[in-house]
Amino acid sequence: MSELGARLFRRSFFLQAGFSDERRQALGFAWTIDPALAAAYGADADALRAARLRQLQPFNTQPNAAGLVVGACAALEARAAAGDAGACARAETFKGAIGASLAGGADAFFWGALRPLAAATAAFLGAFAFRRGTVGPLFGAAAAGLLVFNAPAVLARRRGVEEGLADPDTAALRVAALPVQSWIRAARLASAVLIFGAAAALLGHPLLNTSATLAAGAFALGAGAARATGGPLRLVAAAGIIGAAASAAVGWTP
Amino acid sequence: MSALPALAGAAGIAALELDAASIGTFLLSRPFVVGPLVGLARGDVWTGAALGAIFEALTLAELPLGGCLDLSACVAAGTAAWLACDAARIPTEACFLAGLAAGWVHARAERRLRRARAALARGAEAALHGGRPAGLGAKIVEALSVQAAATFAVCACFLAASSAVLPALWPRLPAFAAVGARTAFLAAPWLGAGSLVAALGRRA
């Protein structure tokens, strides 16, 4: 990776630092890409100022997929600085269009599939550490969960910067050809299996001294009603109210 | 509880929380990491890990950014785990509820910060239009500092208030209220796990 690519890659981890409702990731994006702008327009203060203003426009995408947009925009700005009259417009169009489309697919992959897989891996391995009663494997389980997410996430970010810098015209097409949907299905299936395994192992946790009936009932309620009620947090509140009412009415205890 | 460890705990949670939506994201702010780490710091790894698992199950289906911001998972898990591992032995369900409240308050603070941060980008734009340096790096540092300070304030307030109030208040609760709190706590991981499995099946 070039020195510029390495700087863009490192700075891209701060993409969301200035996240706002109005501009989304614009501030972080402008700071991330700034070394590329300075390198491209260094001698031309007016052009550099105009480029910085362009990069402060609203922008949003999935942060782990942002490397591609950063790299491609940096390459197109360099072309514009070298005299390619249409490069600025292509950069703006690319940034707007690919940012939104990447956000959809990459949200589903990184947040909707890989993050549950990471947590499920940690929970599954942690449950077996609990059964053995040893602390070391528990932290190994958390580390395994972090690895499951971060290895592909960091790689995607790094390769995105590299591919975008190398060939901004075709980088998006190469990403679109990846079999992301099959990766998502596989990760979600694996997550569900691991969650069932962890739940079975954790049923005996002394802190969660729960009867199998309450656990099964809550699991079924969560699966069947969480979406309709707006999420499991509202069901937790409902469970508390029902438990209190049952206690007051018939002296029930969990 | 002396103030210094609680302030150190709040600072640790605030540092980890930056990973949630500011730096990274590496998942260091997720409850499955925060819970065991807080437990390790407090000398009760398993209690911290169990509370981390509960909050992980409850919040895993939510996206970390965008419009949905019901609860800060990091603040909720960190606060609950810190209180549950306290030598004063506050009942775990009370710590769970205090964690939920802290996470809820932090999510509201986060919403306000997101609205206020628009001024940073507008300020950079105005500086460039005026021929001055945009100061992008300084604005990034400012955003991170304010975020960490807000998280620290929420955590410190909840740790201090809960440690002072809950040990005395909880034994005086009516029996039905204590049963309700325990029911909510015991049902929470299974409600979360069921919700998550259904969400995974739907999306697949």
Side-chain angles (χ1 to χ4, degrees):
Chain A
M1 184 181 253
S2 66
E3 190 183 333
L4 176 63
R7 284 190 77 187
L8 296 180
F9 169 67
R10 286 194 299 271
R11 283 186 174 221
S12 75
F13 289 106
F14 294 84
L15 181 75
Q16 299 180 111
F19 189 93
S20 70
D21 289 342
E22 182 183 291
R23 302 285 180 109
R24 317 299 276 183
Q25 299 160 337
L27 185 67
F29 190 91
W31 183 75
T32 299
I33 203 171
D34 203 56
L37 302 183
Y41 296 100
D44 186 344
D46 286 342
L48 177 58
R49 187 166 56 85
R52 283 175 169 156
L53 283 168
R54 279 197 297 277
Q55 304 307 336
L56 277 167
Q57 295 312 302
F59 171 73
N60 195 44
T61 195
Q62 208 285 337
N64 297 302
L68 181 74
V69 190
V70 170
C73 282
L76 289 169
E77 288 283 1
R79 283 189 198 170
D84 182 342
C88 273
R90 286 209 302 282
E92 285 188 62
T93 306
F94 181 88
K95 194 175 158 187
I98 200 73
S101 58
L102 268 180
D107 271 352
F109 177 62
F110 288 107
W111 298 148
L114 213 50
R115 193 175 67 155
L117 181 61
T121 302
F124 182 77
L125 296 176
F128 284 93
F130 159 69
R131 289 176 77 99
R132 289 180 60 183
T134 46
V135 169
L138 177 70
F139 285 97
L146 290 175
L147 189 66
V148 162
F149 181 83
N150 284 304
V154 173
L155 182 67
R157 194 185 288 256
R158 185 185 166 93
R159 285 293 302 273
V161 172
E162 284 175 340
E163 299 273 331
L165 275 174
D167 189 355
D169 300 316
T170 62
L173 292 174
R174 288 198 297 279
V175 170
L178 293 172
V180 176
Q181 289 305 319
S182 62
W183 296 347
I184 290 171
R185 276 193 294 274
R188 285 176 178 165
L189 181 62
S191 302
V193 170
L194 290 170
I195 288 167
F196 274 115
L202 286 173
L203 202 55
H205 195 297
L207 191 65
L208 309 173
N209 190 17
T210 317
S211 73
T213 309
L214 177 62
F219 189 92
L221 187 64
R227 192 183 189 193
T229 53
L233 288 170
R234 287 172 180 81
L235 291 177
V236 171
I241 291 167
I242 292 168
S247 170
V250 296
W252 177 81
T253 56
Chain B
M1 186 173 71
S2 78
L4 202 58
L7 292 178
I13 296 167
L16 286 172
E17 198 279 332
L18 286 176
D19 170 75
S22 297
I23 302 173
T25 302
F26 302 106
L27 301 195
L28 294 171
S29 58
R30 292 303 305 170
F32 78 85
V33 177
V34 175
L37 280 180
V38 170
L40 181 69
R42 302 285 282 157
D44 188 350
V45 172
W46 293 110
T47 299
L51 280 160
I54 292 169
F55 280 104
E56 189 66 62
L58 284 175
T59 58
L60 192 52
E62 279 193 13
L63 296 179
L65 280 177
C68 184
L69 197 64
D70 274 348
L71 182 79
S72 166
C74 176
V75 169
T79 304
W82 186 274
L83 291 170
C85 301
D86 192 3
R89 284 291 159 208
I90 302 167
T92 316
E93 54 267 34
C95 303
F96 170 72
L97 293 180
L100 277 179
W104 187 87
V105 168
H106 185 267
R108 270 71 202 160
E110 169 87 29
R111 285 182 188 176
R112 293 180 70 90
L113 289 177
R114 287 182 185 185
R115 280 198 295 274
R117 277 199 290 257
L120 295 175
R122 284 201 296 267
E125 220 169 43
L128 286 169
H129 280 303
R132 300 185 305 278
L136 295 173
K139 287 180 168 57
I140 294 283
V141 171
E142 182 186 337
L144 292 174
S145 304
V146 171
Q147 176 77 24
T151 309
F152 174 80
V154 170
C155 292
C157 288
F158 269 90
L159 291 179
S162 302
S163 300
V165 171
L166 286 177
L169 175 72
W170 205 257
R172 295 179 190 167
L173 277 185
F176 74 89
V179 167
R182 181 131 190 94
T183 307
F185 171 67
L186 292 175
W190 311 106
L191 287 167
S195 160
L196 180 62
V197 167
L200 289 169
R202 226 175 14 248
R203 291 170 185 167

Coordinates of all heavy atoms in Angstrom, one line a residue, chain A residues 62-121:
Chain A
Q62 N -21.7 2.7 5.1 CA -21.3 1.8 6.2 C -19.8 2.0 6.4 O -19.0 2.0 5.4 CB -21.6 0.4 5.7 CG -21.9 -0.6 6.9 CD -20.6 -1.0 7.6 OE1 -19.5 -0.9 7.0 NE2 -20.8 -1.4 8.8
P63 N -19.4 2.3 7.6 CA -18.0 2.7 7.8 C -16.9 1.7 7.3 O -15.9 2.1 6.8 CB -17.9 2.9 9.3 CG -19.1 2.3 9.9 CD -20.1 2.3 8.9
N64 N -17.2 0.4 7.4 CA -16.2 -0.6 7.0 C -16.1 -0.7 5.5 O -15.2 -1.2 4.9 CB -16.5 -2.0 7.6 CG -16.5 -2.0 9.1 OD1 -15.4 -1.6 9.6 ND2 -17.6 -2.3 9.7
A65 N -17.2 -0.2 4.8 CA -17.1 -0.2 3.3 C -16.7 1.2 2.8 O -16.6 1.4 1.6 CB -18.5 -0.5 2.8
A66 N -16.4 2.1 3.7 CA -16.1 3.5 3.3 C -14.7 3.6 2.6 O -14.5 4.6 1.8 CB -16.1 4.4 4.5
G67 N -13.8 2.6 2.8 CA -12.5 2.7 2.2 C -12.5 2.9 0.7 O -11.8 3.6 0.1
L68 N -13.5 2.1 0.1 CA -13.6 2.2 -1.4 C -14.0 3.6 -1.8 O -13.4 4.1 -2.8 CB -14.7 1.2 -1.8 CG -15.0 1.2 -3.3 CD1 -13.8 0.4 -4.0 CD2 -16.3 0.5 -3.6
V69 N -14.9 4.3 -1.1 CA -15.3 5.6 -1.5 C -14.1 6.6 -1.3 O -13.9 7.5 -2.1 CB -16.6 6.1 -0.7 CG1 -17.1 7.4 -1.3 CG2 -17.6 5.0 -0.7
V70 N -13.5 6.4 -0.2 CA -12.3 7.3 0.1 C -11.3 7.2 -0.9 O -10.8 8.2 -1.5 CB -11.7 7.0 1.5 CG1 -10.4 7.7 1.8 CG2 -12.7 7.3 2.6
G71 N -10.9 6.0 -1.2 CA -9.8 5.7 -2.2 C -10.2 6.2 -3.6 O -9.4 6.9 -4.3
A72 N -11.5 5.9 -4.0 CA -11.9 6.3 -5.4 C -12.0 7.8 -5.5 O -11.6 8.4 -6.5 CB -13.2 5.7 -5.7
C73 N -12.5 8.5 -4.5 CA -12.6 10.0 -4.5 C -11.3 10.6 -4.5 O -11.0 11.6 -5.2 CB -13.5 10.5 -3.3 SG -15.2 10.3 -3.6
A74 N -10.3 10.0 -3.7 CA -9.0 10.6 -3.7 C -8.3 10.5 -5.1 O -7.7 11.4 -5.6 CB -8.1 9.8 -2.7
A75 N -8.5 9.3 -5.8 CA -7.9 9.1 -7.1 C -8.6 10.1 -8.1 O -7.9 10.7 -9.0 CB -8.1 7.7 -7.5
L76 N -9.9 10.3 -8.0 CA -10.6 11.2 -9.0 C -10.2 12.6 -8.7 O -10.1 13.4 -9.7 CB -12.1 11.0 -8.9 CG -12.6 9.6 -9.4 CD1 -14.1 9.4 -9.1 CD2 -12.4 9.6 -11.0
E77 N -10.0 13.0 -7.5 CA -9.6 14.4 -7.2 C -8.2 14.6 -7.7 O -7.8 15.7 -8.2 CB -9.6 14.7 -5.6 CG -11.0 14.8 -5.1 CD -11.7 16.1 -5.4 OE1 -11.1 17.0 -6.0 OE2 -12.8 16.3 -4.9
A78 N -7.3 13.6 -7.6 CA -6.0 13.7 -8.2 C -6.0 13.9 -9.7 O -5.3 14.7 -10.3 CB -5.1 12.5 -7.8
R79 N -7.0 13.2 -10.3 CA -7.1 13.4 -11.8 C -7.6 14.8 -12.1 O -7.2 15.4 -13.1 CB -8.1 12.4 -12.3 CG -7.6 11.0 -12.5 CD -8.6 10.1 -13.2 NE -8.4 8.7 -13.1 CZ -9.3 7.8 -13.5 NH1 -10.4 8.2 -14.0 NH2 -9.0 6.5 -13.3
A80 N -8.5 15.3 -11.3 CA -9.1 16.6 -11.5 C -8.0 17.7 -11.4 O -7.9 18.6 -12.2 CB -10.2 16.9 -10.5
A81 N -7.1 17.5 -10.3 CA -6.0 18.4 -10.1 C -5.0 18.3 -11.3 O -4.4 19.3 -11.6 CB -5.3 18.0 -8.8
A82 N -4.9 17.2 -12.0 CA -4.0 17.0 -13.1 C -4.6 17.5 -14.4 O -4.0 17.4 -15.5 CB -3.6 15.5 -13.2
G83 N -5.9 18.0 -14.4 CA -6.5 18.6 -15.6 C -7.6 17.9 -16.2 O -8.2 18.3 -17.2
D84 N -8.0 16.8 -15.6 CA -9.2 16.0 -16.1 C -10.5 16.8 -15.8 O -10.9 16.8 -14.6 CB -9.2 14.6 -15.5 CG -10.4 13.8 -16.1 OD1 -11.3 14.4 -16.6 OD2 -10.3 12.5 -15.9
A85 N -11.1 17.4 -16.7 CA -12.2 18.4 -16.5 C -13.4 17.7 -15.9 O -14.1 18.3 -15.1 CB -12.6 19.1 -17.8
G86 N -13.7 16.4 -16.2 CA -14.9 15.8 -15.7 C -14.7 15.0 -14.4 O -15.7 14.5 -13.9
A87 N -13.5 15.0 -13.9 CA -13.2 14.1 -12.8 C -13.9 14.5 -11.5 O -14.4 13.7 -10.7 CB -11.7 14.0 -12.5
C88 N -14.0 15.9 -11.3 CA -14.7 16.4 -10.1 C -16.2 15.9 -10.1 O -16.7 15.5 -9.1 CB -14.7 17.9 -10.1 SG -13.2 18.6 -9.3
A89 N -16.8 16.1 -11.2 CA -18.2 15.7 -11.3 C -18.4 14.2 -11.1 O -19.3 13.7 -10.4 CB -18.8 16.1 -12.6
R90 N -17.4 13.4 -11.7 CA -17.5 12.0 -11.5 C -17.3 11.6 -10.0 O -18.0 10.7 -9.5 CB -16.5 11.3 -12.3 CG -16.8 11.2 -13.8 CD -16.2 10.0 -14.5 NE -14.7 10.0 -14.4 CZ -13.9 10.7 -15.1 NH1 -14.3 11.5 -16.0 NH2 -12.6 10.6 -15.0
A91 N -16.4 12.3 -9.3 CA -16.2 12.0 -7.9 C -17.4 12.3 -7.1 O -17.8 11.5 -6.2 CB -15.0 12.9 -7.4
E92 N -18.1 13.4 -7.4 CA -19.3 13.8 -6.6 C -20.4 12.8 -6.9 O -21.1 12.3 -6.0 CB -19.8 15.2 -7.0 CG -18.9 16.3 -6.3 CD -19.5 17.7 -6.5 OE1 -20.6 17.9 -6.0 OE2 -18.8 18.5 -7.2
T93 N -20.6 12.4 -8.2 CA -21.6 11.4 -8.5 C -21.3 10.1 -7.9 O -22.2 9.4 -7.3 CB -21.7 11.2 -10.0 OG1 -21.9 12.5 -10.6 CG2 -22.8 10.3 -10.4
F94 N -20.0 9.7 -7.9 CA -19.6 8.4 -7.4 C -19.9 8.4 -5.9 O -20.5 7.4 -5.3 CB -18.1 8.2 -7.7 CG -17.6 6.9 -7.1 CD1 -17.6 5.7 -7.9 CD2 -17.0 6.8 -5.9 CE1 -17.1 4.5 -7.4 CE2 -16.5 5.6 -5.4 CZ -16.6 4.5 -6.2
K95 N -19.5 9.5 -5.2 CA -19.6 9.5 -3.8 C -21.1 9.4 -3.3 O -21.4 8.7 -2.4 CB -19.0 10.8 -3.3 CG -18.8 10.9 -1.8 CD -18.1 12.3 -1.5 CE -18.3 12.6 -0.1 NZ -17.7 14.0 0.2
G96 N -22.0 10.1 -4.0 CA -23.4 10.1 -3.7 C -24.0 8.8 -3.9 O -24.7 8.2 -3.1
A97 N -23.7 8.2 -5.1 CA -24.4 7.0 -5.6 C -23.9 5.8 -4.9 O -24.6 5.0 -4.3 CB -24.3 6.8 -7.1
I98 N -22.6 5.6 -4.8 CA -22.0 4.4 -4.3 C -22.1 4.4 -2.7 O -22.2 3.4 -2.1 CB -20.5 4.2 -4.7 CG1 -20.1 2.8 -4.5 CG2 -19.6 5.1 -3.9 CD1 -20.7 1.9 -5.5
G99 N -22.1 5.6 -2.1 CA -22.2 5.7 -0.7 C -23.5 5.1 -0.2 O -23.6 4.3 0.7
A100 N -24.6 5.5 -0.9 CA -25.9 5.0 -0.5 C -26.1 3.5 -0.8 O -26.6 2.7 0.0 CB -27.0 5.8 -1.3
S101 N -25.6 3.1 -2.0 CA -25.8 1.7 -2.4 C -24.9 0.8 -1.5 O -25.3 -0.3 -1.1 CB -25.6 1.4 -3.9 OG -24.3 1.9 -4.2
L102 N -23.7 1.2 -1.2 CA -22.8 0.4 -0.4 C -23.4 0.3 1.0 O -23.3 -0.8 1.7 CB -21.5 1.1 -0.2 CG -20.3 0.7 -1.2 CD1 -19.1 1.5 -0.8 CD2 -20.1 -0.8 -1.1
A103 N -24.1 1.4 1.5 CA -24.6 1.4 2.9 C -25.6 0.3 3.0 O -25.7 -0.5 4.0 CB -25.2 2.7 3.2
G104 N -26.5 0.1 2.0 CA -27.5 -1.0 2.1 C -26.9 -2.4 2.2 O -27.2 -3.1 3.2
G105 N -26.1 -2.7 1.3 CA -25.5 -4.1 1.3 C -24.5 -4.3 2.4 O -24.5 -5.3 3.1
A106 N -23.7 -3.3 2.7 CA -22.7 -3.5 3.8 C -23.3 -3.4 5.2 O -22.8 -4.1 6.1 CB -21.6 -2.4 3.6
D107 N -24.4 -2.6 5.3 CA -25.1 -2.7 6.6 C -25.6 -4.1 6.9 O -25.5 -4.6 8.0 CB -26.3 -1.7 6.6 CG -25.9 -0.3 7.1 OD1 -24.8 -0.1 7.6 OD2 -26.8 0.6 7.0
A108 N -26.2 -4.7 5.8 CA -26.8 -6.0 6.0 C -25.7 -7.0 6.3 O -25.9 -8.0 7.1 CB -27.5 -6.4 4.7
F109 N -24.5 -6.8 5.7 CA -23.4 -7.8 5.9 C -22.7 -7.6 7.3 O -22.6 -8.5 8.1 CB -22.4 -7.7 4.8 CG -21.2 -8.6 5.0 CD1 -21.4 -10.0 5.1 CD2 -19.9 -8.1 5.1 CE1 -20.3 -10.9 5.3 CE2 -18.8 -8.9 5.3 CZ -19.0 -10.3 5.4
F110 N -22.2 -6.3 7.5 CA -21.4 -6.1 8.7 C -22.3 -6.0 10.0 O -21.9 -6.6 11.0 CB -20.6 -4.8 8.5 CG -19.5 -5.0 7.6 CD1 -19.5 -4.4 6.3 CD2 -18.3 -5.7 7.9 CE1 -18.5 -4.6 5.4 CE2 -17.3 -5.9 7.0 CZ -17.4 -5.3 5.8
W111 N -23.4 -5.2 9.9 CA -24.2 -5.0 11.1 C -25.2 -6.2 11.3 O -25.5 -6.7 12.4 CB -24.9 -3.7 11.1 CG -24.1 -2.5 11.1 CD1 -24.5 -1.3 10.5 CD2 -22.8 -2.2 11.7 NE1 -23.5 -0.4 10.7 CE2 -22.5 -0.9 11.5 CE3 -22.0 -3.0 12.5 CZ2 -21.3 -0.3 11.9 CZ3 -20.8 -2.5 12.9 CH2 -20.4 -1.1 12.6
G112 N -25.8 -6.6 10.2 CA -26.9 -7.5 10.2 C -26.5 -9.0 10.2 O -27.3 -9.9 10.6
A113 N -25.3 -9.3 9.8 CA -24.8 -10.7 9.8 C -23.5 -10.9 10.6 O -23.5 -11.8 11.4 CB -24.6 -11.1 8.3
L114 N -22.5 -10.1 10.3 CA -21.2 -10.4 10.9 C -21.2 -10.0 12.4 O -20.6 -10.7 13.2 CB -20.1 -9.6 10.2 CG -18.8 -10.2 10.1 CD1 -18.8 -11.6 9.6 CD2 -17.9 -9.3 9.2
R115 N -21.9 -8.9 12.8 CA -21.9 -8.5 14.2 C -22.7 -9.6 15.0 O -22.2 -10.0 16.1 CB -22.5 -7.1 14.4 CG -22.3 -6.6 15.8 CD -22.8 -5.1 15.8 NE -24.2 -5.1 15.7 CZ -25.0 -4.1 16.2 NH1 -24.4 -3.1 16.9 NH2 -26.3 -4.1 16.1
P116 N -23.9 -10.0 14.6 CA -24.5 -11.1 15.4 C -23.6 -12.4 15.4 O -23.6 -13.1 16.4 CB -25.8 -11.4 14.6 CG -26.1 -10.1 13.9 CD -24.8 -9.5 13.6
L117 N -22.9 -12.7 14.3 CA -22.1 -13.9 14.3 C -20.9 -13.7 15.3 O -20.6 -14.7 16.0 CB -21.5 -14.1 12.9 CG -20.6 -15.3 12.8 CD1 -21.4 -16.6 13.1 CD2 -20.0 -15.4 11.4
A118 N -20.4 -12.5 15.4 CA -19.3 -12.2 16.4 C -19.8 -12.4 17.8 O -19.2 -13.1 18.7 CB -18.8 -10.8 16.2
A119 N -21.0 -11.8 18.1 CA -21.5 -12.0 19.5 C -21.9 -13.4 19.8 O -21.7 -13.9 20.9 CB -22.7 -11.0 19.6
A120 N -22.5 -14.1 18.8 CA -22.9 -15.5 19.0 C -21.7 -16.4 19.2 O -21.8 -17.3 20.0 CB -23.7 -16.0 17.8
T121 N -20.6 -16.1 18.5 CA -19.4 -16.9 18.7 C -18.9 -16.7 20.1 O -18.5 -17.7 20.8 CB -18.3 -16.4 17.7 OG1 -18.8 -16.6 16.4 CG2 -17.1 -17.2 17.8

